[in-house]
């Protein structure tokens, strides 16, 4: 079943405005049209400092990605900067996902956090319920 990119538009449609950390939502329509990936720039964060959760918020499912710096971070050792362009603050990002969208995993490589999401549809459009 071919899914258009619009099917994943809700992922970014209701999130907070773009800012730190920057992200891309990538859909591979050719090799696997039911998969989408969120790539987030989290340079300097260790995987122990990042959490990924799915929460129920009222009637909506929310993918919550948070990063919290450890207090022993190198930036706390150096007090005086000549230039400071690397964000050292914590972050929190929310993405609203549909009930048929499931997070299949994540990885952190070269400062990019990738979260893999799949659209899961029932094989049959009709389910018969047996009456006892």
């Amino acid at each position: 079943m071919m899914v258009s990119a619009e099917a994943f538009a809700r992922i970014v449609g209701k999130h907070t405005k773009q800012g730190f950390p920057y992200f891309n939502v990538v859909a591979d329509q050719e090799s696997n049209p039911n998969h989408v990936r969120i790539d987030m720039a989290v340079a300097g964060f260790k995987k122990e400092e990042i959490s990924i959760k799915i929460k129920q918020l009222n009637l909506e499912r929310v993918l919550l990605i948070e990063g919290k710096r450890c207090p022993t971070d190198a930036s706390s050792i150096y007090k005086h900067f000549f230039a400071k362009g690397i964000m050292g603050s914590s972050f929190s990002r929310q993405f609203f996902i549909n009930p048929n969208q499931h997070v299949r995993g994540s990885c952190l490589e070269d400062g990019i956090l990738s979260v893999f999401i799949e659209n899961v549809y029932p094989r049959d459009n009709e389910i018969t319920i047996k009456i006892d």
Side-chain angles (χ1 to χ4, degrees):
M1 175 186 316
M2 184 66 132
V3 178
S4 67
E6 289 81 24
F8 295 106
R10 189 168 187 271
I11 291 175
V12 294
K14 292 175 72 175
H15 79 284
T16 55
K17 64 182 178 178
Q18 180 77 315
F20 176 75
Y22 295 107
F23 64 91
N24 293 330
V25 177
V26 182
D28 187 356
Q29 293 296 315
E30 292 178 15
S31 67
N32 202 334
N34 288 324
H35 290 161
V36 69
R37 185 181 76 238
I38 298 174
D39 289 338
M40 189 175 290
V42 293
F45 280 87
K46 301 173 191 141
K47 68 180 182 178
E48 298 83 26
E49 298 172 322
I50 299 172
S51 70
I52 303 170
K53 300 175 185 171
I54 296 178
K55 292 187 172 187
Q56 192 72 28
L57 182 64
N58 297 325
L59 298 175
E60 311 235 54
R61 290 177 68 227
V62 176
L63 172 64
L64 180 63
I65 303 174
E66 295 180 309
K68 293 188 170 130
R69 291 279 187 176
C70 294
T72 59
D73 190 85
S75 62
S76 64
I77 297 170
Y78 302 104
K79 303 293 182 196
H80 304 286
F81 293 92
F82 291 109
K84 187 173 182 184
I86 299 173
M87 294 295 288
S89 60
S90 298
F91 69 87
S92 178
R93 278 274 189 212
Q94 293 183 4
F95 300 91
F96 290 83
I97 58 176
N98 292 323
N100 62 320
Q101 291 172 326
H102 298 275
V103 176
R104 294 295 181 205
S106 65
C107 69
L108 178 62
E109 188 174 330
D110 297 330
I112 301 293
L113 174 69
S114 295
V115 180
F116 305 98
I117 300 172
E118 180 181 10
N119 248 358
V120 179
Y121 295 101
R123 292 185 185 253
D124 298 322
N125 291 334
E126 183 178 297
I127 299 173
T128 304
I129 308 297
K130 181 181 174 187
I131 302 173
D132 291 327

